[in-house]
PDB file of all heavy atoms in Angstrom:
ATOM      1  N   GLY A   1     -89.307  -5.562 -63.819  1.00 96.00           N
ATOM      2  CA  GLY A   1     -89.656  -6.254 -65.055  1.00 96.00           C
ATOM      3  C   GLY A   1     -88.595  -7.212 -65.546  1.00 96.00           C
ATOM      4  O   GLY A   1     -88.854  -8.002 -66.461  1.00 96.00           O
ATOM      5  N   ILE A   2     -87.379  -7.160 -64.971  1.00 97.00           N
ATOM      6  CA  ILE A   2     -86.287  -8.042 -65.406  1.00 97.00           C
ATOM      7  C   ILE A   2     -85.736  -8.776 -64.179  1.00 97.00           C
ATOM      8  O   ILE A   2     -84.625  -8.524 -63.754  1.00 97.00           O
ATOM      9  CB  ILE A   2     -85.160  -7.232 -66.105  1.00 97.00           C
ATOM     10  CG1 ILE A   2     -85.695  -6.260 -67.135  1.00 97.00           C
ATOM     11  CG2 ILE A   2     -84.140  -8.205 -66.736  1.00 97.00           C
ATOM     12  CD1 ILE A   2     -86.385  -6.904 -68.325  1.00 97.00           C
ATOM     13  N   PRO A   3     -86.523  -9.673 -63.597  1.00 97.00           N
ATOM     14  CA  PRO A   3     -86.025 -10.349 -62.387  1.00 97.00           C
ATOM     15  C   PRO A   3     -84.973 -11.408 -62.682  1.00 97.00           C
ATOM     16  O   PRO A   3     -85.005 -12.069 -63.719  1.00 97.00           O
ATOM     17  CB  PRO A   3     -87.285 -11.010 -61.820  1.00 97.00           C
ATOM     18  CG  PRO A   3     -88.116 -11.295 -63.030  1.00 97.00           C
ATOM     19  CD  PRO A   3     -87.862 -10.149 -63.967  1.00 97.00           C
ATOM     20  N   VAL A   4     -84.043 -11.526 -61.762  1.00 98.00           N
ATOM     21  CA  VAL A   4     -83.086 -12.630 -61.754  1.00 98.00           C
ATOM     22  C   VAL A   4     -83.136 -13.193 -60.334  1.00 98.00           C
ATOM     23  O   VAL A   4     -82.788 -12.502 -59.372  1.00 98.00           O
ATOM     24  CB  VAL A   4     -81.657 -12.170 -62.105  1.00 98.00           C
ATOM     25  CG1 VAL A   4     -80.675 -13.336 -61.964  1.00 98.00           C
ATOM     26  CG2 VAL A   4     -81.599 -11.605 -63.514  1.00 98.00           C
ATOM     27  N   ALA A   5     -83.618 -14.433 -60.190  1.00 98.00           N
ATOM     28  CA  ALA A   5     -83.609 -15.079 -58.871  1.00 98.00           C
ATOM     29  C   ALA A   5     -82.144 -15.225 -58.480  1.00 98.00           C
ATOM     30  O   ALA A   5     -81.332 -15.697 -59.272  1.00 98.00           O
ATOM     31  CB  ALA A   5     -84.275 -16.443 -58.953  1.00 98.00           C
ATOM     32  N   THR A   6     -81.795 -14.761 -57.305  1.00 98.00           N
ATOM     33  CA  THR A   6     -80.388 -14.708 -56.920  1.00 98.00           C
ATOM     34  C   THR A   6     -80.137 -15.533 -55.674  1.00 98.00           C
ATOM     35  O   THR A   6     -80.861 -15.401 -54.684  1.00 98.00           O
ATOM     36  CB  THR A   6     -79.967 -13.238 -56.685  1.00 98.00           C
ATOM     37  OG1 THR A   6     -80.367 -12.456 -57.800  1.00 98.00           O
ATOM     38  CG2 THR A   6     -78.467 -13.124 -56.504  1.00 98.00           C
ATOM     39  N   VAL A   7     -79.104 -16.360 -55.729  1.00 98.00           N
ATOM     40  CA  VAL A   7     -78.682 -17.135 -54.571  1.00 98.00           C
ATOM     41  C   VAL A   7     -77.459 -16.459 -53.957  1.00 98.00           C
ATOM     42  O   VAL A   7     -76.971 -15.456 -54.466  1.00 98.00           O
ATOM     43  CB  VAL A   7     -78.400 -18.600 -54.956  1.00 98.00           C
ATOM     44  CG1 VAL A   7     -79.665 -19.300 -55.454  1.00 98.00           C
ATOM     45  CG2 VAL A   7     -77.278 -18.705 -56.005  1.00 98.00           C
ATOM     46  N   GLY A   8     -76.956 -17.009 -52.889  1.00 98.00           N
ATOM     47  CA  GLY A   8     -75.811 -16.423 -52.210  1.00 98.00           C
ATOM     48  C   GLY A   8     -74.546 -16.507 -53.035  1.00 98.00           C
ATOM     49  O   GLY A   8     -74.456 -17.193 -54.040  1.00 98.00           O
ATOM     50  N   ILE A   9     -73.544 -15.801 -52.553  1.00 98.00           N
ATOM     51  CA  ILE A   9     -72.238 -15.772 -53.216  1.00 98.00           C
ATOM     52  C   ILE A   9     -71.667 -17.186 -53.265  1.00 98.00           C
ATOM     53  O   ILE A   9     -71.587 -17.875 -52.258  1.00 98.00           O
ATOM     54  CB  ILE A   9     -71.302 -14.791 -52.498  1.00 98.00           C
ATOM     55  CG1 ILE A   9     -71.861 -13.369 -52.550  1.00 98.00           C
ATOM     56  CG2 ILE A   9     -69.885 -14.845 -53.088  1.00 98.00           C
ATOM     57  CD1 ILE A   9     -71.227 -12.394 -51.601  1.00 98.00           C
ATOM     58  N   ASN A  10     -71.306 -17.624 -54.467  1.00 98.00           N
ATOM     59  CA  ASN A  10     -70.749 -18.958 -54.738  1.00 98.00           C
ATOM     60  C   ASN A  10     -71.718 -20.087 -54.401  1.00 98.00           C
ATOM     61  O   ASN A  10     -71.308 -21.235 -54.276  1.00 98.00           O
ATOM     62  CB  ASN A  10     -69.427 -19.179 -54.000  1.00 98.00           C
ATOM     63  CG  ASN A  10     -68.276 -18.417 -54.597  1.00 98.00           C
ATOM     64  OD1 ASN A  10     -68.403 -17.739 -55.615  1.00 98.00           O
ATOM     65  ND2 ASN A  10     -67.113 -18.500 -53.969  1.00 98.00           N
ATOM     66  N   ALA A  11     -72.999 -19.799 -54.272  1.00 98.00           N
ATOM     67  CA  ALA A  11     -73.982 -20.810 -53.850  1.00 98.00           C
ATOM     68  C   ALA A  11     -74.584 -21.559 -55.052  1.00 98.00           C
ATOM     69  O   ALA A  11     -75.798 -21.608 -55.227  1.00 98.00           O
ATOM     70  CB  ALA A  11     -75.062 -20.172 -53.003  1.00 98.00           C
ATOM     71  N   ALA A  12     -73.734 -22.135 -55.857  1.00 98.00           N
ATOM     72  CA  ALA A  12     -74.183 -22.850 -57.051  1.00 98.00           C
ATOM     73  C   ALA A  12     -75.076 -24.035 -56.709  1.00 98.00           C
ATOM     74  O   ALA A  12     -76.005 -24.346 -57.467  1.00 98.00           O
ATOM     75  CB  ALA A  12     -72.987 -23.313 -57.869  1.00 98.00           C
ATOM     76  N   GLN A  13     -74.814 -24.703 -55.603  1.00 98.00           N
ATOM     77  CA  GLN A  13     -75.664 -25.830 -55.227  1.00 98.00           C
ATOM     78  C   GLN A  13     -77.098 -25.371 -55.013  1.00 98.00           C
ATOM     79  O   GLN A  13     -78.045 -26.010 -55.448  1.00 98.00           O
ATOM     80  CB  GLN A  13     -75.130 -26.531 -53.969  1.00 98.00           C
ATOM     81  CG  GLN A  13     -75.948 -27.750 -53.610  1.00 98.00           C
ATOM     82  CD  GLN A  13     -75.378 -28.508 -52.436  1.00 98.00           C
ATOM     83  OE1 GLN A  13     -74.358 -28.146 -51.873  1.00 98.00           O
ATOM     84  NE2 GLN A  13     -76.042 -29.579 -52.066  1.00 98.00           N
ATOM     85  N   ASN A  14     -77.284 -24.216 -54.331  1.00 98.00           N
ATOM     86  CA  ASN A  14     -78.633 -23.693 -54.143  1.00 98.00           C
ATOM     87  C   ASN A  14     -79.266 -23.321 -55.478  1.00 98.00           C
ATOM     88  O   ASN A  14     -80.476 -23.465 -55.652  1.00 98.00           O
ATOM     89  CB  ASN A  14     -78.633 -22.507 -53.181  1.00 98.00           C
ATOM     90  CG  ASN A  14     -78.697 -22.948 -51.736  1.00 98.00           C
ATOM     91  OD1 ASN A  14     -78.930 -24.103 -51.438  1.00 98.00           O
ATOM     92  ND2 ASN A  14     -78.514 -22.004 -50.839  1.00 98.00           N
ATOM     93  N   ALA A  15     -78.484 -22.833 -56.405  1.00 98.00           N
ATOM     94  CA  ALA A  15     -79.026 -22.521 -57.733  1.00 98.00           C
ATOM     95  C   ALA A  15     -79.524 -23.788 -58.396  1.00 98.00           C
ATOM     96  O   ALA A  15     -80.589 -23.808 -59.025  1.00 98.00           O
ATOM     97  CB  ALA A  15     -77.965 -21.836 -58.598  1.00 98.00           C
ATOM     98  N   GLY A  16     -78.780 -24.874 -58.263  1.00 98.00           N
ATOM     99  CA  GLY A  16     -79.208 -26.156 -58.799  1.00 98.00           C
ATOM    100  C   GLY A  16     -80.497 -26.627 -58.152  1.00 98.00           C
ATOM    101  O   GLY A  16     -81.403 -27.092 -58.839  1.00 98.00           O
ATOM    102  N   ILE A  17     -80.570 -26.505 -56.826  1.00 98.00           N
ATOM    103  CA  ILE A  17     -81.792 -26.918 -56.116  1.00 98.00           C
ATOM    104  C   ILE A  17     -82.967 -26.060 -56.571  1.00 98.00           C
ATOM    105  O   ILE A  17     -84.066 -26.590 -56.805  1.00 98.00           O
ATOM    106  CB  ILE A  17     -81.596 -26.831 -54.588  1.00 98.00           C
ATOM    107  CG1 ILE A  17     -80.575 -27.880 -54.135  1.00 98.00           C
ATOM    108  CG2 ILE A  17     -82.922 -27.014 -53.855  1.00 98.00           C
ATOM    109  CD1 ILE A  17     -80.105 -27.710 -52.696  1.00 98.00           C
ATOM    110  N   LEU A  18     -82.782 -24.776 -56.703  1.00 98.00           N
ATOM    111  CA  LEU A  18     -83.865 -23.895 -57.158  1.00 98.00           C
ATOM    112  C   LEU A  18     -84.316 -24.290 -58.571  1.00 98.00           C
ATOM    113  O   LEU A  18     -85.520 -24.330 -58.846  1.00 98.00           O
ATOM    114  CB  LEU A  18     -83.421 -22.426 -57.116  1.00 98.00           C
ATOM    115  CG  LEU A  18     -84.469 -21.380 -57.423  1.00 98.00           C
ATOM    116  CD1 LEU A  18     -85.699 -21.533 -56.542  1.00 98.00           C
ATOM    117  CD2 LEU A  18     -83.853 -19.992 -57.239  1.00 98.00           C
ATOM    118  N   ALA A  19     -83.380 -24.626 -59.442  1.00 98.00           N
ATOM    119  CA  ALA A  19     -83.752 -25.105 -60.788  1.00 98.00           C
ATOM    120  C   ALA A  19     -84.587 -26.374 -60.702  1.00 98.00           C
ATOM    121  O   ALA A  19     -85.594 -26.514 -61.387  1.00 98.00           O
ATOM    122  CB  ALA A  19     -82.502 -25.330 -61.628  1.00 98.00           C
ATOM    123  N   VAL A  20     -84.182 -27.293 -59.810  1.00 98.00           N
ATOM    124  CA  VAL A  20     -84.956 -28.530 -59.632  1.00 98.00           C
ATOM    125  C   VAL A  20     -86.348 -28.206 -59.122  1.00 98.00           C
ATOM    126  O   VAL A  20     -87.341 -28.773 -59.585  1.00 98.00           O
ATOM    127  CB  VAL A  20     -84.216 -29.505 -58.670  1.00 98.00           C
ATOM    128  CG1 VAL A  20     -85.112 -30.699 -58.327  1.00 98.00           C
ATOM    129  CG2 VAL A  20     -82.905 -29.973 -59.277  1.00 98.00           C
ATOM    130  N   GLN A  21     -86.465 -27.287 -58.167  1.00 98.00           N
ATOM    131  CA  GLN A  21     -87.776 -26.914 -57.627  1.00 98.00           C
ATOM    132  C   GLN A  21     -88.682 -26.335 -58.730  1.00 98.00           C
ATOM    133  O   GLN A  21     -89.881 -26.637 -58.764  1.00 98.00           O
ATOM    134  CB  GLN A  21     -87.621 -25.922 -56.475  1.00 98.00           C
ATOM    135  CG  GLN A  21     -87.044 -26.545 -55.229  1.00 98.00           C
ATOM    136  CD  GLN A  21     -86.796 -25.559 -54.127  1.00 98.00           C
ATOM    137  OE1 GLN A  21     -86.086 -24.567 -54.313  1.00 98.00           O
ATOM    138  NE2 GLN A  21     -87.360 -25.811 -52.967  1.00 98.00           N
ATOM    139  N   ILE A  22     -88.113 -25.508 -59.597  1.00 98.00           N
ATOM    140  CA  ILE A  22     -88.887 -24.926 -60.688  1.00 98.00           C
ATOM    141  C   ILE A  22     -89.397 -26.041 -61.613  1.00 98.00           C
ATOM    142  O   ILE A  22     -90.569 -26.083 -61.970  1.00 98.00           O
ATOM    143  CB  ILE A  22     -88.047 -23.887 -61.463  1.00 98.00           C
ATOM    144  CG1 ILE A  22     -87.817 -22.642 -60.593  1.00 98.00           C
ATOM    145  CG2 ILE A  22     -88.725 -23.508 -62.787  1.00 98.00           C
ATOM    146  CD1 ILE A  22     -86.747 -21.697 -61.142  1.00 98.00           C
ATOM    147  N   LEU A  23     -88.518 -26.965 -61.974  1.00 98.00           N
ATOM    148  CA  LEU A  23     -88.884 -28.059 -62.869  1.00 98.00           C
ATOM    149  C   LEU A  23     -89.866 -29.004 -62.177  1.00 98.00           C
ATOM    150  O   LEU A  23     -90.774 -29.550 -62.828  1.00 98.00           O
ATOM    151  CB  LEU A  23     -87.640 -28.817 -63.321  1.00 98.00           C
ATOM    152  CG  LEU A  23     -86.665 -28.025 -64.196  1.00 98.00           C
ATOM    153  CD1 LEU A  23     -85.363 -28.812 -64.361  1.00 98.00           C
ATOM    154  CD2 LEU A  23     -87.287 -27.687 -65.544  1.00 98.00           C
ATOM    155  N   ALA A  24     -89.700 -29.236 -60.878  1.00 98.00           N
ATOM    156  CA  ALA A  24     -90.550 -30.182 -60.138  1.00 98.00           C
ATOM    157  C   ALA A  24     -91.988 -29.688 -60.016  1.00 98.00           C
ATOM    158  O   ALA A  24     -92.883 -30.502 -59.789  1.00 98.00           O
ATOM    159  CB  ALA A  24     -89.952 -30.443 -58.758  1.00 98.00           C
ATOM    160  N   ALA A  25     -92.214 -28.420 -60.199  1.00 98.00           N
ATOM    161  CA  ALA A  25     -93.590 -27.882 -60.111  1.00 98.00           C
ATOM    162  C   ALA A  25     -94.489 -28.501 -61.176  1.00 98.00           C
ATOM    163  O   ALA A  25     -95.701 -28.550 -60.995  1.00 98.00           O
ATOM    164  CB  ALA A  25     -93.567 -26.357 -60.246  1.00 98.00           C
ATOM    165  N   SER A  26     -93.906 -28.991 -62.264  1.00 97.00           N
ATOM    166  CA  SER A  26     -94.712 -29.602 -63.325  1.00 97.00           C
ATOM    167  C   SER A  26     -94.253 -31.021 -63.652  1.00 97.00           C
ATOM    168  O   SER A  26     -94.544 -31.529 -64.726  1.00 97.00           O
ATOM    169  CB  SER A  26     -94.671 -28.723 -64.590  1.00 97.00           C
ATOM    170  OG  SER A  26     -93.337 -28.613 -65.050  1.00 97.00           O
ATOM    171  N   ASP A  27     -93.518 -31.659 -62.731  1.00 98.00           N
ATOM    172  CA  ASP A  27     -93.007 -33.004 -62.971  1.00 98.00           C
ATOM    173  C   ASP A  27     -93.125 -33.792 -61.672  1.00 98.00           C
ATOM    174  O   ASP A  27     -92.314 -33.624 -60.753  1.00 98.00           O
ATOM    175  CB  ASP A  27     -91.561 -32.924 -63.443  1.00 98.00           C
ATOM    176  CG  ASP A  27     -90.937 -34.281 -63.762  1.00 98.00           C
ATOM    177  OD1 ASP A  27     -91.290 -35.286 -63.119  1.00 98.00           O
ATOM    178  OD2 ASP A  27     -90.059 -34.318 -64.630  1.00 98.00           O
TER     179      ASP A  27
END
């Protein structure tokens, strides 16, 4: 019930890409 999408250790770039993918679903 409390999910956190998790990327690899120090993988901030992948976190940014995942954020873009989430936003791109409606843009």
Side-chain angles (χ1 to χ4, degrees):
I2 313 295
V4 175
T6 309
V7 296
I9 297 166
N10 286 358
Q13 183 175 0
N14 275 350
I17 293 168
L18 186 54
V20 172
Q21 289 176 305
I22 290 167
L23 295 170
S26 61
D27 182 328

